[in-house]
Amino acid sequence: MLTVEEALAKILEAVAPLDTETVPLLEAQGQVLAEDIVSTVNVPPLDNSAMDGYAVRYEDTLGASGLSPRILEVIDTVMAGAVSGKTVTPGTAVRIMTGAPVPAGADAVVPFEDTDEMQRADKGTPAARVGILQPAKAGDNVRRAGESVARGETVLRAGTTIRPSEIGVLASAGRAEVTVVRRPVVAVLSTGDELVELGQPLPEGKIYDSNLYGIASLVQRTGCFASVLGIARDNEQSIVEKLEQARDADLLITTGGVSMGDYDMVKDILDRDGEMVFWKVRVKPGKPLAFGKIKGRDGRSIPHLGLPGNAVSCMVSFELFVRPALLKMMGKTNVAKPTVDAVLEDNVKNNAGRRVYDRAVITRRNGTYYARLTGPQGSGILTSMALANGLVLIPEEKLTMSKGETVKALMLDWNESFNL
Ligand code: AMP
Ligand code: MG
């Protein structure tokens, strides 16, 4: 049996980052930049005011106080987006709004709060004179041209994952489009005679196809396109027909049909028509795992992961083996889920002799992470996944672990409610 690490290494070895595409900025979130971004503009373009106030020569404010204001002549008002044609000379000031360029001659901005602006009866309207109540220093409340981004500067490097803050940086550099690694199209196929599509009545002995939905949504959450192929029945014709629809995908995921049962035909057909290896991975849940390639259109070769049919095994296998592969195809280099050390709040057993990933609720209290199991851990009990935000890792060689011992917990979700 392979270890989790050995199986993952073989899968990662067989996939590579996809080609690139140029997309509108707002579509690029979660994708990896495929070009260095050099700014063609200064951000901000000119020295500008960080406050609503008065642009002054700081020397004119020295010694100012509430009892002894420095009175300056107001020669202009300038709003964000406009440029004042006036020059601030000794004894004068320009009323200025946040973001407006600082006029020539001025070297500081005194905010309204430090002037008599608010005390005046006609406050809010420009007056001919202003009283400065506080001395300013050179550069006060002035944002320098290019302080955020200088023209010619490389602001983002190829390989960076685009988050909202990168989108903002790209927008401020004027980029409407960016070149990024393409998102994988992932074909998702369920197999089984017992499966019923949602929206249909459920005859005796049948079950709804949950894997298709669970896996397709994991694909989407990873930032890929799910091409949902539906259900293949446990016969050659049905499977071959469905696989035909996967020929344009970048990766194929099937669920079910890889264990050793009589009707587990996926492995036989793929073994015959493609390049396919079946592994037993030393992990619970998720021991049976198939990995190979099917022939795509135009001679392409499409990686295929055959996940176990049990609903929990299938989702856990996705997290362990498929997600890292998809992230690599998306051009990412860090493909691991975040992990924390957590104190067990339950006793756990490992009678499988394999690496166990139990579903758990991870919480943080007084700076320490704790892990509580979500109840029955059967590999078909999908609600155990729905209740969990993490998986605790019980090592292969440990037969039991006790309450109070520290385990590694792989975080499935890391959201706001977690940091309670
Ligand atoms: P298999 O690997 O095909 O032998 O399936 C193992 C178990 O997982 C069986 O109990 C199946 O009924 C169940 N199973 C397989 N595919 C799905 C699916 N798409 N949705 C829900 N359960 C499934
Ligand atoms: Mg089956």
Side-chain angles (χ1 to χ4, degrees):
M1 268 199 260
L2 298 180
T3 64
V4 170
E5 286 70 26
E6 285 163 349
L8 179 59
K10 285 174 189 286
I11 293 168
L12 288 178
E13 218 170 84
V15 299
L18 299 182
D19 46 335
T20 64
E21 61 181 356
T22 300
V23 298
L25 186 55
L26 257 190
E27 289 174 20
Q29 184 167 190
Q31 287 180 281
V32 169
L33 260 183
E35 54 171 341
D36 287 343
I37 304 292
V38 177
S39 180
T40 55
V41 295
N42 276 322
V43 184
L46 298 169
D47 289 357
N48 70 93
S49 179
M51 301 286 275
D52 294 337
Y54 286 87
V56 299
R57 296 157 42 90
Y58 87 95
E59 289 107 321
D60 286 353
T61 69
L62 296 179
S65 71
L67 290 176
S68 173
R70 293 287 175 266
I71 308 297
L72 300 175
E73 185 195 346
V74 180
I75 56 170
D76 198 8
T77 291
V78 59
M79 307 291 189
V83 176
S84 172
K86 299 279 171 53
T87 297
V88 174
T89 51
T92 70
V94 166
R95 198 163 175 271
I96 191 166
M97 300 303 134
T98 304
V102 174
D107 52 18
V109 171
V110 179
F112 284 155
E113 301 87 290
D114 296 340
T115 70
D116 60 4
E117 174 88 8
M118 297 305 169
Q119 295 158 17
R120 290 198 326 255
D122 59 349
K123 57 180 171 256
T125 56
R129 287 157 163 265
V130 64
I132 305 291
L133 310 178
Q134 291 271 346
K137 296 190 303 300
D140 275 1
N141 301 308
V142 175
R143 301 190 289 218
R144 291 286 166 207
E147 78 175 12
S148 176
V149 176
R151 182 184 296 124
E153 187 187 327
T154 300
V155 283
L156 294 172
R157 301 229 168 252
T160 304
T161 297
I162 298 178
R163 303 168 302 164
S165 44
E166 279 76 22
I167 301 246
V169 169
L170 288 159
S172 67
R175 293 295 300 248
E177 293 186 327
V178 276
T179 302
V180 290
V181 180
R182 193 164 63 74
R183 293 180 195 274
V185 174
V186 182
V188 185
L189 177 65
S190 302
T191 68
D193 282 341
E194 74 280 30
L195 303 178
V196 174
E197 274 169 34
L198 297 191
Q200 303 297 316
L202 194 63
E204 195 174 42
K206 308 279 184 188
I207 57 171
Y208 284 121
D209 174 10
S210 63
N211 289 350
L212 195 70
Y213 293 86
I215 293 300
S217 57
L218 281 167
V219 165
Q220 290 170 343
R221 185 156 80 170
T222 309
C224 308
F225 297 113
S227 163
V228 177
L229 303 187
I231 302 168
R233 299 304 171 188
D234 288 321
N235 63 72
E236 170 153 5
Q237 191 196 339
S238 176
I239 294 172
V240 169
E241 217 173 85
K242 284 288 185 189
L243 288 181
E244 203 44 50
Q245 297 171 29
R247 306 274 174 212
D248 290 316
D250 297 302
L251 183 126
L252 165 68
I253 302 173
T254 57
T255 72
V258 291
S259 45
M260 295 297 132
D262 289 349
Y263 294 98
D264 291 331
M265 304 194 55
V266 171
K267 61 180 192 309
D268 301 330
I269 294 164
L270 285 163
D271 209 10
R272 193 192 62 204
D273 293 348
E275 204 185 298
M276 171 65 50
V277 282
F278 296 91
W279 296 326
K280 285 194 177 140
V281 184
R282 218 176 149 199
V283 61
K284 185 186 172 188
K287 180 166 72 170
L289 183 73
F291 178 63
K293 294 194 166 155
I294 66 164
K295 291 189 197 80
R297 224 174 293 290
D298 308 326
R300 288 186 317 126
S301 154
I302 303 171
H304 168 207
L305 277 135
L307 307 184
N310 280 314
V312 174
S313 315
C314 146
M315 292 193 101
V316 170
S317 301
F318 180 97
E319 298 285 5
L320 297 179
F321 303 112
V322 187
R323 182 177 176 275
L326 291 176
L327 292 179
K328 183 173 179 192
M329 292 169 80
M330 294 174 81
K332 305 196 186 198
T333 45
N334 181 8
V335 301
K337 277 267 182 196
T339 299
V340 299
D341 289 326
V343 176
L344 275 175
E345 296 187 291
D346 291 300
N347 295 323
V348 294
K349 273 210 214 73
N350 176 6
N351 46 22
R354 295 178 250 155
R355 165 104 42 96
V356 173
Y357 288 94
D358 275 338
R359 275 72 71 207
V361 179
I362 316 294
T363 49
R364 197 179 72 176
R365 301 195 294 276
N366 300 323
T368 303
Y369 294 103
Y370 294 90
R372 176 169 45 78
L373 299 196
T374 56
Q377 298 285 316
S379 58
I381 304 175
L382 196 49
T383 46
S384 71
M385 260 328 248
L387 294 169
N389 66 347
L391 299 172
V392 294
L393 187 162
I394 312 301
E396 290 83 341
E397 67 284 359
K398 292 258 187 185
L399 292 180
T400 57
M401 286 191 80
S402 311
K403 199 170 164 170
E405 283 192 75
T406 298
V407 286
K408 292 260 177 250
L410 199 130
M411 297 307 299
L412 298 175
D413 283 301
W414 199 302
N415 57 28
E416 293 77 2
S417 59
F418 173 60
N419 279 327
L420 292 174

